[in-house]
Amino acid sequence: MKAVRLEGVGSIALREVGKPAAGPDDLLVRIEACGVCGTDRHLFHGEFPCTPPVTLGHEFSGIVEAIGTGVSGFSVGDRVTGDPNIACGSCPHCHAGRINLCHNLIAIGIRRDGGFAEYVVLPQKQAFSLPKDLKPTHGAFCEPLGCCLHGLDLAQIRPGSSVAVLGGGVIGLLTVQLARLAGATTIILSTRQASRRALAEELGATATVDPSACDIIDTVVGASGLMPGGVNVVFECAGVRETVEQSMRLAKAGGTVVVVGVMPQGMKAEFEPFDLLFRELRVLGSFLNPFTHRRAADLIASGAIEIDKLISRHVTLEEAAAVIANPPAPGEVKVLVVPR
Ligand code: NAP
């Protein structure tokens, strides 16, 4: 079969590899779609640990082609989505229910072969069923949506809350939609690209801000700003120093900052601990998708999340390596690799 193989830092190519077989507790899944994530680019550039050679792709869904002898509850022909993050179940974090912090976490598409291929082997415990009539490309959004759901859970948004989302990529745009569903009545999205701001407004943002054209702090929390005094919850979804620093200033006293964006290891951000203390901010990191994949799949199946508008283009397996090796095109939100 064809698979997009990361062979080392800066080296990625489409290769012909053997078609994998399902072990006793596995499903063999024919990939319908697999999303390109910023992490795939970080892996290509050696900015995130992994174990090449490996087939990339951790945001995938497809059709069950074969099942192992020990599998129950799934049949050949089912549509499924895979939670790529395999926790060991036996380390102290897993025992404490913090599976995203597992010491021995192995992610499909990072440490074992993933979904930029014709087929992937998916352990049954990582598989979640999707409706037969779901659009084949929509299941690929369960993983990023599951990560955003974890951030939402940590934030504890209540009906009537005010929210700011910094960064208008797919994570920010999914978070805008979840904040709306959670009952936030003010949702401010900050991102530099006009097309993304327009999309955010279609998806539920009540206001958008171009942080390169104004002083965002003044525009949001200033006396005549969008939310004088600040918002209840800020989601940092850009992963850059500026937005991390802005987050602390956009949250109102007693508010919450959820850091979802991944900053390069070693990068520092500046804020005043006195300010955090004096305004009693809750600052939380949100990592991966612990126990949220089923809810993400159900939300997508229900149609409550707008997916089609987030898909910028479909590419083939033949085109995938070049997409991963290059920065995203302007305006692009999510590129999906569709094998056939
Ligand atoms: P993305 O497509 O790169 O979106 C982030 C966007 O933030 C950028 O494209 C950029 O859009 C915007 N941005 C950059 N600088 C900004 C600034 N100063 N002010 C406002 N916006 C700014 O990435 P994504 O896929 O949405 O992911 C977002 C972040 O979440 C990444 O860091 C990713 O690694 C991380 N992530 C975390 C988890 C987790 O479990 N915590 C899971 C998945 C992804 P403009 O050009 O429009 O400004």
Side-chain angles (χ1 to χ4, degrees):
M1 69 165 186
K2 291 177 186 144
V4 179
R5 304 282 288 168
L6 183 72
E7 298 179 327
V9 174
S11 170
I12 190 167
L14 184 70
R15 298 288 183 215
E16 194 61 41
V17 299
K19 183 175 170 181
D25 299 321
D26 297 329
L27 313 176
L28 179 67
V29 176
R30 177 171 55 77
I31 297 293
E32 291 189 297
C34 185
V36 176
C37 165
T39 303
D40 298 311
R41 295 191 170 97
H42 288 309
L43 291 164
F44 172 76
H45 291 291
E47 296 161 352
F48 201 90
C50 76
T51 46
V54 69
T55 301
L56 297 185
H58 58 276
E59 300 179 356
F60 57 85
S61 61
I63 301 292
V64 177
E65 166 114 348
I67 54 175
T69 50
V71 170
S72 59
F74 292 96
S75 305
V76 169
D78 285 353
R79 174 165 285 129
V80 293
T81 156
D83 174 358
N85 299 307
I86 308 174
C88 73
S90 52
C91 72
H93 288 308
C94 284
H95 283 163
R98 310 288 300 266
I99 56 169
N100 53 330
L101 306 181
C102 170
H103 285 315
N104 309 304
L105 196 74
I106 291 182
I108 300 173
I110 296 177
R111 290 199 184 267
R112 57 181 268 177
D113 290 340
F116 293 139
E118 291 176 82
Y119 297 92
V120 71
V121 171
L122 180 63
Q124 167 175 5
K125 72 180 179 88
Q126 304 299 124
F128 297 84
S129 55
L130 289 169
K132 281 200 175 359
D133 59 354
L134 187 74
K135 264 198 178 177
T137 48
H138 285 196
F141 282 81
C142 294
E143 198 274 345
L145 184 64
C147 292
C148 298
L149 270 173
H150 182 47
L152 255 283
D153 289 348
L154 292 170
Q156 298 172 357
I157 291 174
R158 290 187 290 180
S161 291
S162 53
V163 167
V165 179
L166 310 183
V170 74
I171 296 294
L173 292 170
L174 288 170
T175 299
V176 163
Q177 298 190 59
L178 290 176
R180 175 178 48 80
L181 289 173
T185 42
T186 298
I187 306 172
I188 302 164
L189 178 104
S190 167
T191 204
R192 295 162 305 179
Q193 294 181 53
S195 61
R196 290 172 165 195
R197 293 196 300 276
L199 185 52
E201 286 176 18
E202 281 180 48
L203 298 177
T206 53
T208 54
V209 175
D210 176 0
S212 61
C214 67
D215 176 337
I216 183 175
I217 307 300
D218 225 33
T219 306
V220 177
V221 309
S224 52
L226 294 165
M227 207 64 206
V231 295
N232 296 116
V233 178
V234 182
F235 291 97
E236 193 292 311
C237 299
V240 297
R241 177 185 165 147
E242 257 174 291
T243 46
V244 173
E245 292 176 350
Q246 288 164 2
S247 301
M248 312 293 171
R249 302 182 61 200
L250 292 172
K252 72 192 298 181
T256 299
V257 171
V258 182
V259 178
V260 181
V262 179
M263 292 218 296
Q265 234 178 337
M267 189 177 279
K268 305 254 190 317
E270 240 177 58
F271 54 85
E272 282 187 45
F274 176 82
D275 182 48
L276 295 194
L277 170 92
F278 196 64
R279 295 195 299 120
E280 212 172 67
L281 297 186
R282 239 169 29 113
V283 181
L284 305 167
S286 174
F287 184 52
L288 300 180
N289 56 346
F291 305 113
T292 54
H293 207 85
R294 179 70 265 165
R295 280 162 61 211
D298 289 343
L299 266 172
I300 286 176
S302 76
I305 301 288
E306 170 59 50
I307 298 293
D308 281 331
K309 288 180 178 164
L310 303 177
I311 303 174
S312 308
R313 59 188 169 122
H314 297 173
V315 299
T316 61
L317 280 171
E318 285 73 9
E319 296 165 308
V323 171
I324 294 162
N326 287 293
E332 215 158 70
V333 178
K334 179 60 79 182
V335 177
L336 289 184
V337 177
V338 178
R340 53 178 102 174

